[in-house]
Structures are given as C-alpha cells and as structure tokens.
Amino acid sequence: MTSPGRFSDHGVFVCFEGGEGAGKSTQSRALADWLESLGHAVTRTFEPGDTAVGRRLREIVLDPATGDLSNRTEVLLYAADKAEHVDTVVLPALDAGGVVITDRYVDSTLAYQGAGRQVDTGELEWIARWATSDLRPHLTVVLDLAPVEGLGRFEERDRIEGQSLEFHQRVRDSFLALAAADPAHYLVLDARGSIEEVAAAIRERVAPLLERTTGAGTP
Ligand code: Z5A
C-alpha cells in the first residue's frame, strides 16, 4: 500500500514506538496525565492486547510457551489484534474528538516482523495498513535506546524479547529509518535522557496538535 495514509480529522492520534524498556509506558502515562490536567479526553492504550480478543492474541504471541510460530502466523495474529484495536478502541475515541495515545502500532510490525523476522516489507506493510484501515498517527514518538540497555531494564524475557541482540539492533535501525523518512510525523528522542527531560520534549511537540480536539484547555 503506497498511499500517504488516512489521518483523523477529529481527534489527535499519538503513538509511542521503540525497543524494550525504552520508556514507552512511562512516557505515555506522563503525556496522558498532562493532557488530562488540561481537560482533554484521553484514551491511553497499547498493542498487542487492549481488547477482549486482543488479550487472547497477546498471550499467544508473547508467551514463551507458544514456542516457534510460522512468520506468517505471527504477522496475522498481530494484524488481527490491530484490526480489533483500531475498530473498537482507537477510531471511536478519535471520532469523539479525543486524544488517543497508543503504546506500539503499525511500525512495531514493520520493525519486529519486517526487519527483525525479515518478512517481505511490501507484503507486510500492505497487511498492517489493511488491518488498520490505513489510519496513521499524527505523531509517532520513537524512544531510541541501545537494545542492550533496554533489555537490561528487565529480568524476564517474552517470545520476542528473547531474540538475539542482532535481531533487536535491526528493529532499532528500522524505527530510526521509518522516522527519518517522514520527519513531519515523527519525533526521535534519546531514551537515556531523564524521564522529565524526555516528557518535556514530547509535550513541546504534542502541544500544537491539540487545536484540533474538543478538549477544554489548550496550552
Ligand atoms: N510486537 C510485534 O512484534 N509486532 C507488533 O505489531 C506489535 C508488537 C504491536 C510487546 O511487548 C511486544 O510485541 C514487543 C514487540 C512486539 N516485544 N518485544 N520485545 P510489551 O507490550 O510487553 O512490552 P514493550 O512494548 O516492549 O514495552 P516494555 O518492554 O514494557 O517497555 P517500555 O514500556 O518501553 O518501558 P517502561 O515500562 O516505561 O520502562 C521500563 C523501565 O525503565 C521501568 O523500570 C522504568 O521506570 C524505567 N525507565 C523508563 N524511562 C526511563 C528513563 N528515562 N531513564 C531510566 N529508566 C527509565
């Protein structure tokens, strides 16, 4: 799919991407708290697993007990999670004029299944875009961190985290390449900065996007 994608005209869609332990959950929570303090309606969500069927799909794709999966099976399970997520969580909240913050989205498929598993990128992107009705974030924040540092922030490994460092390096390079190709819709930040430094840079970039929402207090 080579279209420039579809952007919500009503709400604001912000996505966090990056490797393991880069601080996506920490920063999405901080951004949501700030936006709520300004009176915006915020939906904070994540992939995979933030729907009833998604929770079951998440267990399959991340539980080490699943063992090896065909790459195509893995792609389709993540795609099914995305379709349900976009149709039942993301789009309704955007159509209502709110801010949606998701921890991971299509770029995770392009990075992990595309660069990581080395599935054909053209085919993969078509499937992921189809699954999400080609809905694009207004802004994707890439929290960039060397894999060895991010993985070091956790003790346990799921199916994906247990891949080699080379795999995670390809994933990192892929996020950076996606951002470099479309700077108007990306913000890349060094995830080694303090939590507050990173949060402040995110707020600065998100603030101008808020005019489109029906939320109360734009800064
Ligand atoms: N995946 C896929 O393959 N294809 C897809 O299409 C999608 C996903 C959507 C989901 O993992 C896995 O699915 C993921 C990709 C794959 N696998 N891997 N590997 P997940 O949802 O279970 O986890 P995650 O998305 O990788 O997030 P995470 O590992 O939980 O980390 P995080 O959210 O980026 O970080 P955090 O929880 O905010 O912070 C981690 C720790 O670092 C914590 O103790 C913080 O207090 C600390 N932290 C945070 N910020 C800082 C700073 N600035 N300095 C120091 N310490 C910090």
Side-chain angles (χ1 to χ4, degrees), residues 8-178:
S8 170
D9 291 330
H10 306 289
V12 175
F13 188 19
V14 178
C15 172
F16 282 89
E17 295 282 12
E20 295 56 52
K24 298 178 296 300
S25 315
T26 304
Q27 292 300 335
S28 68
R29 200 178 311 120
L31 180 62
D33 289 348
W34 175 67
L35 291 168
E36 280 168 357
S37 76
L38 295 173
H40 291 277
V42 180
T43 299
R44 186 170 162 249
T45 184
F46 60 92
E47 293 185 0
D50 203 16
T51 63
V53 74
R55 275 186 280 285
R56 297 165 75 177
L57 294 167
R58 179 183 174 94
E59 199 179 322
I60 298 171
V61 288
L62 294 185
D63 188 347
T66 298
D68 288 341
L69 281 176
S70 144
N71 285 343
R72 279 178 292 129
T73 306
E74 187 174 281
V75 167
L76 292 170
L77 289 169
Y78 277 114
D81 173 74
K82 288 181 198 310
E84 191 67 12
H85 188 221
V86 165
D87 286 354
T88 68
V89 177
V90 177
L91 271 177
L94 289 174
D95 288 347
V99 182
V100 175
I101 303 172
T102 185
D103 191 336
R104 299 196 179 280
Y105 189 56
V106 168
D107 286 5
S108 280
T109 284
L110 301 178
Y112 285 90
Q113 281 67 54
R117 302 273 191 225
Q118 300 184 303
V119 174
D120 180 277
T121 315
E123 293 174 358
L124 188 62
E125 179 158 16
W126 193 93
I127 290 166
R129 299 292 181 205
W130 180 81
T132 53
S133 301
D134 210 11
L135 179 72
R136 309 285 178 112
H138 296 99
L139 178 68
T140 296
V141 179
V142 176
L143 297 177
D144 182 50
L145 190 64
V148 72
E149 288 186 49
L151 291 166
R153 287 178 177 176
F154 296 103
E155 283 181 5
E156 292 188 5
R157 299 268 188 276
D158 63 31
R159 270 187 74 252
I160 306 275
E161 286 160 356
Q163 297 299 312
S164 66
L165 267 186
E166 291 74 22
F167 175 102
H168 290 287
Q169 188 57 50
R170 290 199 296 276
V171 168
R172 181 192 194 187
D173 293 344
S174 172
F175 282 129
L176 294 176
L178 288 163

